[in-house]
Amino acid sequence: IYGDQSQGSVLCAGLGLGLVLHALSKNDKVTNIICVEISQNVIDLMTPNIRHLPKVTIIKADFYNFVRQNNNKWDSIIVDLWTTSKITKMKIFYQKVLPFAFELRAKYPNIPLTFHGFSSISDIKHTNPQMTKEVCEMMELLRGLK
């Protein structure tokens, strides 16, 4: 979903397994992808799996410092930095995600920002109202078949 709905120059925070980079590199509307990853171990582990991807550049840096010092113009930003559980999600949301979201919105007021795992404050949504309605209707039909 993030890959399909992005375009232009995309900044990604967090390499992870490289799934977002694979999706972004397949999108013809995406011109280049900069991924900022703090862990050299993650970069070393994932480089063989992403080295062939067009348009991708990996930068080893702390994402918070990177965006504070970098003045590039981005067309979209995807942030996937936080690992949460049911127990920690709201604490991380209020203490880390929201303050950083305000900072990014102030610096990049007119570009789509996506925070993986926190769709309520993300511009790219997993579903739209029409899709939600259709899924609910299908679930009702399936319940009637029992």
Side-chain angles (χ1 to χ4, degrees):
I1 293 169
Y2 301 153
D4 289 344
Q5 294 187 34
S6 296
Q7 61 184 12
S9 183
V10 180
L11 176 63
C12 290
L15 173 56
L17 296 175
L19 300 175
V20 172
L21 301 184
H22 280 270
L24 287 167
S25 67
K26 292 177 185 175
N27 182 340
D28 293 334
K29 293 182 283 185
V30 171
T31 56
N32 71 306
I33 306 153
I34 302 296
C35 179
V36 178
E37 172 58 52
I38 196 168
S39 170
Q40 187 63 51
N41 289 337
V42 172
I43 294 169
D44 293 343
L45 181 66
M46 295 312 301
T47 295
N49 298 320
I50 60 169
R51 145 179 332 138
H52 69 283
L53 295 177
K55 307 181 261 190
V56 174
T57 302
I58 306 296
I59 297 175
K60 183 190 180 307
D62 177 276
F63 187 72
Y64 297 97
N65 293 334
F66 179 85
V67 295
R68 289 175 183 139
Q69 296 169 4
N70 185 279
N71 291 317
N72 288 7
K73 300 295 180 203
W74 308 102
D75 297 304
S76 49
I77 298 176
I78 300 170
V79 182
D80 186 3
L81 293 177
W82 305 282
T83 303
T84 65
S85 67
K86 286 184 179 181
I87 296 169
T88 62
K89 186 164 186 160
M90 293 311 292
K91 180 179 179 182
I92 289 171
F93 180 70
Y94 288 118
Q95 292 180 353
K96 295 184 179 187
V97 179
L98 268 183
F100 193 52
F102 286 126
E103 184 178 338
L104 286 177
R105 293 246 182 241
K107 184 167 183 173
Y108 306 104
N110 299 314
I111 67 161
L113 301 176
T114 299
F115 301 88
H116 179 65
F118 301 94
S119 61
S120 63
I121 60 167
S122 295
D123 293 314
I124 294 177
K125 302 295 184 189
H126 294 274
T127 62
N128 59 39
Q130 180 62 30
M131 182 186 290
T132 301
K133 179 182 175 217
E134 290 174 12
V135 168
C136 289
E137 289 171 357
M138 286 191 313
M139 293 303 293
E140 287 301 315
L141 288 172
L142 290 173
R143 284 189 190 111
L145 296 175
K146 288 184 178 181

